[in-house]
């Protein structure tokens, strides 16, 4: 029993480290090279008062974290999927998935800073605040093969 538990933990850590390694390599090989860094910096200075600016201050970390998510979910291989990301934020996960040919749509609040970044990245985004027991708005490109939600704020 102890051996099985240790083996599962080792496999989990190994998968996570492999995804991290693959993500960093993909970033070095250009996964996020299509992002206009100068335009991003201009947006960041223009939206200095935004509550979401603190997340942009960790831009490189956000790219790595979201690339890891792409690799952890196996989106770098396999069939092309339709993906909906709830609480997509700036859209870096969606951008990474799109890099591998997936059809992506994000859903998040109507914050102007978040919208400006997802527009800069060329992503489809629906602005909506999710409320309990309320239906979602019309979403383009559905039905979806995967629905994701990472670190969603309530």
């Amino acid at each position: 029993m102890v051996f099985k538990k240790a083996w599962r933990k080792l496999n989990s850590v190994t998968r996570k480290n492999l995804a991290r390694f693959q993500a960093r390599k993909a970033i070095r090989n250009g996964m996020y090279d299509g992002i206009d860094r100068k335009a991003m910096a201009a947006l960041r200075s223009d939206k200095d008062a935004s509550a979401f600016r603190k997340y942009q201050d960790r831009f490189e970390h956000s790219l790595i974290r979201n690339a890891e998510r792409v690799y952890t979910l196996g989106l770098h291989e396999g069939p092309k999927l339709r993906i909906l990301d709830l609480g997509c934020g700036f859209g870096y996960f969606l951008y990474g998935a799109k890099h591998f040919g997936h059809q992506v749509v994000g859903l998040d609040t109507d914050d102007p800073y978040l919208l400006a970044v997802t527009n800069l990245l060329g992503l489809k985004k629906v602005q909506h605040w999710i409320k309990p027991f309320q239906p979602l708005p019309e979403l383009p490109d559905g039905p979806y093969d995967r629905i994701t939600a990472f670190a969603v704020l309530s």
Side-chain angles (χ1 to χ4, degrees):
M1 182 66 156
V2 172
F3 178 75
K4 282 185 179 182
K5 188 174 182 180
W7 184 253
R8 281 195 304 270
K9 178 69 175 171
L10 178 63
N11 277 336
S12 172
V13 169
T14 302
R15 279 192 308 272
K16 184 175 182 179
N17 287 337
L18 179 60
R20 180 169 290 142
F21 173 78
Q22 291 172 316
R24 290 175 187 265
K25 183 176 178 184
I27 290 170
R28 281 193 305 274
N29 291 336
M31 182 176 185
Y32 290 109
D33 282 356
I35 296 175
D36 184 342
R37 309 283 173 134
K38 287 183 182 179
M40 289 290 286
L43 273 176
R44 187 167 40 242
S45 65
D46 184 46
K47 306 289 187 190
D48 197 41
S50 172
F52 295 102
R53 187 179 188 281
K54 65 182 178 182
Y55 300 109
Q56 274 300 86
D57 290 342
R58 300 187 65 193
F59 177 69
E60 295 298 326
H61 172 77
S62 295
L63 296 183
I64 292 167
R65 189 77 160 131
N66 283 286
E68 286 176 17
R69 291 170 175 154
V70 168
Y71 277 89
T72 298
L73 293 174
L75 300 176
H76 61 291
E77 57 191 7
K80 305 308 174 217
L81 304 172
R82 290 182 311 274
I83 301 170
L84 172 65
D85 187 25
L86 303 176
C88 67
F90 294 108
Y92 303 135
F93 167 74
L94 293 172
Y95 191 89
K98 187 176 176 183
H99 174 79
F100 290 106
H102 301 285
Q103 192 174 348
V104 299
V105 175
L107 185 140
D108 210 329
T109 65
D110 62 352
D111 181 81
Y113 189 22
L114 297 179
L115 182 61
V117 173
T118 51
N119 285 341
L120 179 69
L121 298 178
L123 301 170
K124 287 183 185 177
K125 182 175 185 177
V126 175
Q127 295 181 25
H128 179 75
W129 188 268
I130 297 175
K131 296 177 183 161
F133 309 109
Q134 297 297 315
L136 293 175
E138 276 300 313
L139 298 168
D141 303 332
Y144 298 97
D145 302 304
R146 293 270 159 69
I147 298 175
T148 58
F150 302 104
V152 177
L153 302 174
S154 56

